[in-house]
mmCIF file of all heavy atoms in Angstrom:
data_model
loop_
_atom_site.group_PDB
_atom_site.id
_atom_site.type_symbol
_atom_site.label_atom_id
_atom_site.label_comp_id
_atom_site.label_asym_id
_atom_site.label_seq_id
_atom_site.Cartn_x
_atom_site.Cartn_y
_atom_site.Cartn_z
ATOM 1 N N LEU A 265 26.449 37.747 -30.753
ATOM 2 C CA LEU A 265 25.601 38.823 -31.072
ATOM 3 C C LEU A 265 24.408 38.870 -30.097
ATOM 4 O O LEU A 265 23.999 39.967 -29.647
ATOM 5 C CB LEU A 265 25.085 38.742 -32.497
ATOM 6 C CG LEU A 265 26.126 38.984 -33.576
ATOM 7 C CD1 LEU A 265 25.505 38.733 -34.996
ATOM 8 C CD2 LEU A 265 26.632 40.484 -33.546
ATOM 9 N N ARG A 266 23.911 37.724 -29.713
ATOM 10 C CA ARG A 266 22.815 37.653 -28.770
ATOM 11 C C ARG A 266 23.306 38.204 -27.381
ATOM 12 O O ARG A 266 22.615 38.977 -26.775
ATOM 13 C CB ARG A 266 22.295 36.216 -28.629
ATOM 14 C CG ARG A 266 21.225 36.053 -27.579
ATOM 15 C CD ARG A 266 20.752 34.583 -27.540
ATOM 16 N NE ARG A 266 19.921 34.320 -26.422
ATOM 17 C CZ ARG A 266 18.593 34.560 -26.372
ATOM 18 N NH1 ARG A 266 18.016 35.083 -27.420
ATOM 19 N NH2 ARG A 266 17.904 34.297 -25.288
ATOM 20 N N ASP A 267 24.454 37.758 -26.941
ATOM 21 C CA ASP A 267 24.972 38.189 -25.666
ATOM 22 C C ASP A 267 25.224 39.724 -25.626
ATOM 23 O O ASP A 267 24.894 40.395 -24.679
ATOM 24 C CB ASP A 267 26.248 37.467 -25.303
ATOM 25 C CG ASP A 267 26.067 35.969 -25.039
ATOM 26 O OD1 ASP A 267 24.913 35.615 -24.759
ATOM 27 O OD2 ASP A 267 27.066 35.217 -25.076
ATOM 28 N N LEU A 268 25.827 40.236 -26.709
ATOM 29 C CA LEU A 268 26.105 41.670 -26.817
ATOM 30 C C LEU A 268 24.841 42.486 -26.874
ATOM 31 O O LEU A 268 24.790 43.592 -26.315
ATOM 32 C CB LEU A 268 26.968 41.922 -28.005
ATOM 33 C CG LEU A 268 28.412 41.337 -28.001
ATOM 34 C CD1 LEU A 268 29.120 41.508 -29.331
ATOM 35 C CD2 LEU A 268 29.228 41.975 -26.861
ATOM 36 N N THR A 269 23.793 41.928 -27.512
ATOM 37 C CA THR A 269 22.534 42.658 -27.544
ATOM 38 C C THR A 269 21.918 42.692 -26.164
ATOM 39 O O THR A 269 21.443 43.734 -25.724
ATOM 40 C CB THR A 269 21.534 41.954 -28.512
ATOM 41 O OG1 THR A 269 22.077 41.947 -29.841
ATOM 42 C CG2 THR A 269 20.219 42.676 -28.564
ATOM 43 N N HIS A 270 21.929 41.613 -25.433
ATOM 44 C CA HIS A 270 21.361 41.564 -24.090
ATOM 45 C C HIS A 270 22.094 42.509 -23.138
ATOM 46 O O HIS A 270 21.481 43.140 -22.292
ATOM 47 C CB HIS A 270 21.435 40.125 -23.550
ATOM 48 C CG HIS A 270 20.423 39.221 -24.150
ATOM 49 N ND1 HIS A 270 20.064 37.998 -23.620
ATOM 50 C CD2 HIS A 270 19.736 39.288 -25.336
ATOM 51 C CE1 HIS A 270 19.159 37.422 -24.371
ATOM 52 N NE2 HIS A 270 18.959 38.185 -25.446
ATOM 53 N N SER A 271 23.414 42.564 -23.256
ATOM 54 C CA SER A 271 24.200 43.439 -22.349
ATOM 55 C C SER A 271 24.156 44.918 -22.756
ATOM 56 O O SER A 271 24.475 45.765 -21.967
ATOM 57 C CB SER A 271 25.644 42.962 -22.316
ATOM 58 O OG SER A 271 26.286 43.171 -23.600
ATOM 59 N N GLY A 272 23.714 45.205 -24.004
ATOM 60 C CA GLY A 272 23.704 46.578 -24.470
ATOM 61 C C GLY A 272 25.052 47.073 -24.952
ATOM 62 O O GLY A 272 25.185 48.284 -25.269
ATOM 63 N N GLU A 273 26.088 46.199 -25.028
ATOM 64 C CA GLU A 273 27.397 46.638 -25.466
ATOM 65 C C GLU A 273 27.425 46.942 -27.009
ATOM 66 O O GLU A 273 28.298 47.673 -27.453
ATOM 67 C CB GLU A 273 28.461 45.580 -25.120
ATOM 68 C CG GLU A 273 28.658 45.359 -23.647
ATOM 69 C CD GLU A 273 29.683 44.269 -23.421
ATOM 70 O OE1 GLU A 273 30.899 44.520 -23.672
ATOM 71 O OE2 GLU A 273 29.311 43.182 -22.958
ATOM 72 N N ALA A 274 26.536 46.343 -27.719
ATOM 73 C CA ALA A 274 26.461 46.550 -29.140
ATOM 74 C C ALA A 274 25.031 46.456 -29.633
ATOM 75 O O ALA A 274 24.135 45.971 -28.913
ATOM 76 C CB ALA A 274 27.334 45.544 -29.882
ATOM 77 N N VAL A 275 24.785 46.925 -30.831
ATOM 78 C CA VAL A 275 23.451 46.859 -31.435
ATOM 79 C C VAL A 275 23.583 46.290 -32.810
ATOM 80 O O VAL A 275 24.375 46.683 -33.641
ATOM 81 C CB VAL A 275 22.745 48.251 -31.454
ATOM 82 C CG1 VAL A 275 23.572 49.261 -32.192
ATOM 83 C CG2 VAL A 275 21.357 48.097 -32.087
ATOM 84 N N VAL A 276 22.814 45.174 -33.090
ATOM 85 C CA VAL A 276 22.787 44.550 -34.408
ATOM 86 C C VAL A 276 21.997 45.424 -35.351
ATOM 87 O O VAL A 276 20.940 45.918 -34.991
ATOM 88 C CB VAL A 276 22.120 43.138 -34.320
ATOM 89 C CG1 VAL A 276 21.989 42.545 -35.672
ATOM 90 C CG2 VAL A 276 23.022 42.272 -33.413
ATOM 91 N N VAL A 277 22.539 45.661 -36.533
ATOM 92 C CA VAL A 277 21.924 46.573 -37.520
ATOM 93 C C VAL A 277 21.499 45.774 -38.738
ATOM 94 O O VAL A 277 22.367 45.066 -39.354
ATOM 95 C CB VAL A 277 22.862 47.704 -37.946
ATOM 96 C CG1 VAL A 277 22.138 48.653 -38.926
ATOM 97 C CG2 VAL A 277 23.316 48.503 -36.720
ATOM 98 N N LEU A 278 20.244 45.866 -39.127
ATOM 99 C CA LEU A 278 19.724 45.221 -40.321
ATOM 100 C C LEU A 278 19.138 46.357 -41.194
ATOM 101 O O LEU A 278 18.999 47.471 -40.752
ATOM 102 C CB LEU A 278 18.628 44.177 -40.006
ATOM 103 C CG LEU A 278 19.053 43.056 -39.141
ATOM 104 C CD1 LEU A 278 18.636 43.319 -37.671
ATOM 105 C CD2 LEU A 278 18.424 41.727 -39.573
ATOM 106 N N CYS A 279 18.805 46.018 -42.433
ATOM 107 C CA CYS A 279 18.266 47.032 -43.329
ATOM 108 C C CYS A 279 17.191 46.454 -44.208
ATOM 109 O O CYS A 279 17.007 45.239 -44.318
ATOM 110 C CB CYS A 279 19.369 47.646 -44.204
ATOM 111 S SG CYS A 279 20.162 46.491 -45.356
ATOM 112 N N GLY A 280 16.405 47.330 -44.877
ATOM 113 C CA GLY A 280 15.318 46.875 -45.738
ATOM 114 C C GLY A 280 14.428 48.010 -46.141
ATOM 115 O O GLY A 280 14.714 49.245 -45.875
ATOM 116 N N SER A 281 13.293 47.665 -46.701
ATOM 117 C CA SER A 281 12.298 48.589 -47.111
ATOM 118 C C SER A 281 10.938 48.009 -46.740
ATOM 119 O O SER A 281 10.466 47.175 -47.447
ATOM 120 C CB SER A 281 12.335 48.909 -48.642
ATOM 121 O OG SER A 281 11.185 49.645 -49.023
ATOM 122 N N ALA A 282 10.388 48.456 -45.597
ATOM 123 C CA ALA A 282 9.140 47.866 -45.100
ATOM 124 C C ALA A 282 8.020 48.128 -46.101
ATOM 125 O O ALA A 282 7.133 47.239 -46.270
ATOM 126 C CB ALA A 282 8.802 48.443 -43.730
ATOM 127 N N TYR A 283 7.968 49.314 -46.669
ATOM 128 C CA TYR A 283 6.886 49.623 -47.599
ATOM 129 C C TYR A 283 6.804 48.647 -48.757
ATOM 130 O O TYR A 283 5.752 48.227 -49.203
ATOM 131 C CB TYR A 283 7.042 51.066 -48.097
ATOM 132 C CG TYR A 283 5.948 51.473 -49.082
ATOM 133 C CD1 TYR A 283 4.672 51.687 -48.643
ATOM 134 C CD2 TYR A 283 6.210 51.621 -50.441
ATOM 135 C CE1 TYR A 283 3.636 52.078 -49.495
ATOM 136 C CE2 TYR A 283 5.244 51.997 -51.327
ATOM 137 C CZ TYR A 283 3.945 52.240 -50.846
ATOM 138 O OH TYR A 283 2.944 52.573 -51.700
ATOM 139 N N ARG A 284 7.991 48.242 -49.235
ATOM 140 C CA ARG A 284 8.032 47.249 -50.369
ATOM 141 C C ARG A 284 8.211 45.868 -49.848
ATOM 142 O O ARG A 284 8.436 44.916 -50.637
ATOM 143 C CB ARG A 284 9.232 47.626 -51.281
ATOM 144 C CG ARG A 284 9.032 48.976 -51.962
ATOM 145 C CD ARG A 284 10.221 49.360 -52.808
ATOM 146 N NE ARG A 284 10.383 48.500 -53.949
ATOM 147 C CZ ARG A 284 11.362 48.601 -54.854
ATOM 148 N NH1 ARG A 284 12.281 49.563 -54.666
ATOM 149 N NH2 ARG A 284 11.437 47.798 -55.858
ATOM 150 N N ASN A 285 8.047 45.700 -48.514
ATOM 151 C CA ASN A 285 8.083 44.343 -47.913
ATOM 152 C C ASN A 285 9.400 43.621 -48.106
ATOM 153 O O ASN A 285 9.447 42.401 -48.313
ATOM 154 C CB ASN A 285 6.921 43.486 -48.477
ATOM 155 C CG ASN A 285 6.456 42.394 -47.487
ATOM 156 O OD1 ASN A 285 6.488 42.638 -46.290
ATOM 157 N ND2 ASN A 285 6.131 41.220 -47.994
ATOM 158 N N ARG A 286 10.466 44.367 -48.061
ATOM 159 C CA ARG A 286 11.824 43.778 -48.257
ATOM 160 C C ARG A 286 12.648 43.972 -46.982
ATOM 161 O O ARG A 286 12.893 45.015 -46.510
ATOM 162 C CB ARG A 286 12.486 44.448 -49.448
ATOM 163 C CG ARG A 286 11.716 44.215 -50.700
ATOM 164 C CD ARG A 286 12.301 44.780 -51.980
ATOM 165 N NE ARG A 286 11.459 44.383 -53.134
ATOM 166 C CZ ARG A 286 11.677 44.730 -54.351
ATOM 167 N NH1 ARG A 286 12.765 45.478 -54.649
ATOM 168 N NH2 ARG A 286 10.886 44.318 -55.338
ATOM 169 N N GLY A 287 13.073 42.815 -46.468
ATOM 170 C CA GLY A 287 13.939 42.808 -45.237
ATOM 171 C C GLY A 287 13.178 42.540 -43.974
ATOM 172 O O GLY A 287 13.785 42.538 -42.896
ATOM 173 N N VAL A 288 11.850 42.280 -44.043
ATOM 174 C CA VAL A 288 11.081 42.102 -42.806
ATOM 175 C C VAL A 288 11.271 40.686 -42.235
ATOM 176 O O VAL A 288 11.387 40.490 -41.048
ATOM 177 C CB VAL A 288 9.601 42.425 -43.036
ATOM 178 C CG1 VAL A 288 8.808 42.236 -41.766
ATOM 179 C CG2 VAL A 288 9.437 43.812 -43.633
ATOM 180 N N GLU A 289 11.383 39.660 -43.113
ATOM 181 C CA GLU A 289 11.614 38.311 -42.592
ATOM 182 C C GLU A 289 12.943 38.184 -41.856
ATOM 183 O O GLU A 289 12.951 37.620 -40.725
ATOM 184 C CB GLU A 289 11.539 37.294 -43.755
ATOM 185 C CG GLU A 289 10.193 37.115 -44.407
ATOM 186 C CD GLU A 289 10.034 37.955 -45.650
ATOM 187 O OE1 GLU A 289 10.673 39.065 -45.705
ATOM 188 O OE2 GLU A 289 9.342 37.551 -46.579
ATOM 189 N N PRO A 290 14.038 38.721 -42.389
ATOM 190 C CA PRO A 290 15.260 38.706 -41.571
ATOM 191 C C PRO A 290 15.156 39.492 -40.309
ATOM 192 O O PRO A 290 15.782 39.102 -39.246
ATOM 193 C CB PRO A 290 16.326 39.289 -42.509
ATOM 194 C CG PRO A 290 15.769 39.145 -43.916
ATOM 195 C CD PRO A 290 14.270 39.197 -43.737
ATOM 196 N N LEU A 291 14.403 40.582 -40.290
ATOM 197 C CA LEU A 291 14.159 41.313 -39.046
ATOM 198 C C LEU A 291 13.474 40.477 -38.024
ATOM 199 O O LEU A 291 13.865 40.443 -36.814
ATOM 200 C CB LEU A 291 13.366 42.574 -39.365
ATOM 201 C CG LEU A 291 12.927 43.411 -38.132
ATOM 202 C CD1 LEU A 291 14.154 43.923 -37.402
ATOM 203 C CD2 LEU A 291 11.995 44.531 -38.565
ATOM 204 N N LEU A 292 12.471 39.735 -38.428
ATOM 205 C CA LEU A 292 11.757 38.815 -37.487
ATOM 206 C C LEU A 292 12.673 37.762 -36.974
ATOM 207 O O LEU A 292 12.620 37.382 -35.799
ATOM 208 C CB LEU A 292 10.533 38.218 -38.180
ATOM 209 C CG LEU A 292 9.297 39.156 -38.305
ATOM 210 C CD1 LEU A 292 8.296 38.581 -39.258
ATOM 211 C CD2 LEU A 292 8.654 39.403 -36.955
ATOM 212 N N ALA A 293 13.490 37.246 -37.859
ATOM 213 C CA ALA A 293 14.460 36.207 -37.448
ATOM 214 C C ALA A 293 15.462 36.778 -36.415
ATOM 215 O O ALA A 293 15.780 36.130 -35.444
ATOM 216 C CB ALA A 293 15.220 35.684 -38.668
ATOM 217 N N ALA A 294 15.888 38.045 -36.606
ATOM 218 C CA ALA A 294 16.759 38.644 -35.655
ATOM 219 C C ALA A 294 16.047 38.903 -34.341
ATOM 220 O O ALA A 294 16.683 38.771 -33.247
ATOM 221 C CB ALA A 294 17.307 40.000 -36.222
ATOM 222 N N VAL A 295 14.783 39.292 -34.335
ATOM 223 C CA VAL A 295 14.044 39.474 -33.135
ATOM 224 C C VAL A 295 14.004 38.168 -32.288
ATOM 225 O O VAL A 295 14.249 38.199 -31.062
ATOM 226 C CB VAL A 295 12.607 39.919 -33.456
ATOM 227 C CG1 VAL A 295 11.674 39.760 -32.223
ATOM 228 C CG2 VAL A 295 12.561 41.374 -33.934
ATOM 229 N N THR A 296 13.728 37.067 -32.908
ATOM 230 C CA THR A 296 13.674 35.789 -32.186
ATOM 231 C C THR A 296 15.065 35.297 -31.758
ATOM 232 O O THR A 296 15.204 34.621 -30.752
ATOM 233 C CB THR A 296 12.975 34.715 -33.022
ATOM 234 O OG1 THR A 296 13.688 34.512 -34.265
ATOM 235 C CG2 THR A 296 11.534 35.129 -33.329
ATOM 236 N N ALA A 297 16.090 35.650 -32.571
ATOM 237 C CA ALA A 297 17.437 35.137 -32.259
ATOM 238 C C ALA A 297 18.147 35.967 -31.250
ATOM 239 O O ALA A 297 18.894 35.427 -30.407
ATOM 240 C CB ALA A 297 18.246 35.097 -33.575
ATOM 241 N N TYR A 298 17.990 37.290 -31.256
ATOM 242 C CA TYR A 298 18.834 38.177 -30.470
ATOM 243 C C TYR A 298 18.153 38.854 -29.293
ATOM 244 O O TYR A 298 18.777 39.095 -28.240
ATOM 245 C CB TYR A 298 19.457 39.280 -31.340
ATOM 246 C CG TYR A 298 20.246 38.716 -32.495
ATOM 247 C CD1 TYR A 298 20.046 39.205 -33.805
ATOM 248 C CD2 TYR A 298 21.135 37.695 -32.354
ATOM 249 C CE1 TYR A 298 20.736 38.720 -34.903
ATOM 250 C CE2 TYR A 298 21.835 37.158 -33.464
ATOM 251 C CZ TYR A 298 21.625 37.675 -34.712
ATOM 252 O OH TYR A 298 22.318 37.180 -35.757
ATOM 253 N N LEU A 299 16.889 39.173 -29.398
ATOM 254 C CA LEU A 299 16.196 39.896 -28.290
ATOM 255 C C LEU A 299 15.785 38.895 -27.221
ATOM 256 O O LEU A 299 15.505 37.695 -27.435
ATOM 257 C CB LEU A 299 14.997 40.625 -28.811
ATOM 258 C CG LEU A 299 15.265 41.858 -29.714
ATOM 259 C CD1 LEU A 299 14.027 42.514 -30.133
ATOM 260 C CD2 LEU A 299 16.242 42.821 -28.978
ATOM 261 N N PRO A 300 15.739 39.291 -25.963
ATOM 262 C CA PRO A 300 15.549 38.376 -24.842
ATOM 263 C C PRO A 300 14.058 38.007 -24.685
ATOM 264 O O PRO A 300 13.135 38.683 -25.079
ATOM 265 C CB PRO A 300 15.969 39.218 -23.622
ATOM 266 C CG PRO A 300 15.753 40.626 -24.008
ATOM 267 C CD PRO A 300 16.038 40.691 -25.500
ATOM 268 N N SER A 301 13.853 36.828 -24.097
ATOM 269 C CA SER A 301 12.558 36.371 -23.624
ATOM 270 C C SER A 301 12.352 36.866 -22.180
ATOM 271 O O SER A 301 13.325 37.328 -21.562
ATOM 272 C CB SER A 301 12.455 34.842 -23.702
ATOM 273 O OG SER A 301 13.194 34.285 -22.595
ATOM 274 N N PRO A 302 11.141 36.753 -21.630
ATOM 275 C CA PRO A 302 10.965 37.138 -20.252
ATOM 276 C C PRO A 302 11.838 36.371 -19.253
ATOM 277 O O PRO A 302 12.143 36.895 -18.154
ATOM 278 C CB PRO A 302 9.472 36.792 -19.959
ATOM 279 C CG PRO A 302 8.820 36.980 -21.315
ATOM 280 C CD PRO A 302 9.846 36.470 -22.319
ATOM 281 N N LEU A 303 12.332 35.196 -19.653
ATOM 282 C CA LEU A 303 13.211 34.457 -18.774
ATOM 283 C C LEU A 303 14.639 34.947 -18.781
ATOM 284 O O LEU A 303 15.416 34.666 -17.893
ATOM 285 C CB LEU A 303 13.208 32.953 -19.199
ATOM 286 C CG LEU A 303 11.877 32.203 -19.101
ATOM 287 C CD1 LEU A 303 12.048 30.777 -19.608
ATOM 288 C CD2 LEU A 303 11.378 32.210 -17.690
ATOM 289 N N ASP A 304 15.006 35.719 -19.853
ATOM 290 C CA ASP A 304 16.348 36.199 -20.006
ATOM 291 C C ASP A 304 16.608 37.529 -19.316
ATOM 292 O O ASP A 304 17.776 37.926 -19.131
ATOM 293 C CB ASP A 304 16.691 36.379 -21.492
ATOM 294 C CG ASP A 304 16.632 35.052 -22.243
ATOM 295 O OD1 ASP A 304 17.058 34.017 -21.664
ATOM 296 O OD2 ASP A 304 16.137 35.055 -23.388
#
Side-chain angles (χ1 to χ4, degrees):
L265 289 173
R266 177 179 170 83
D267 291 343
L268 294 172
T269 300
H270 287 198
S271 68
E273 294 180 71
V275 56
V276 172
V277 182
L278 302 96
C279 65
S281 170
Y283 179 71
R284 296 177 66 182
N285 207 37
R286 297 180 177 181
V288 182
E289 293 96 328
L291 173 63
L292 282 167
V295 164
T296 59
Y298 304 132
L299 291 181
S301 76
L303 298 177
D304 297 322

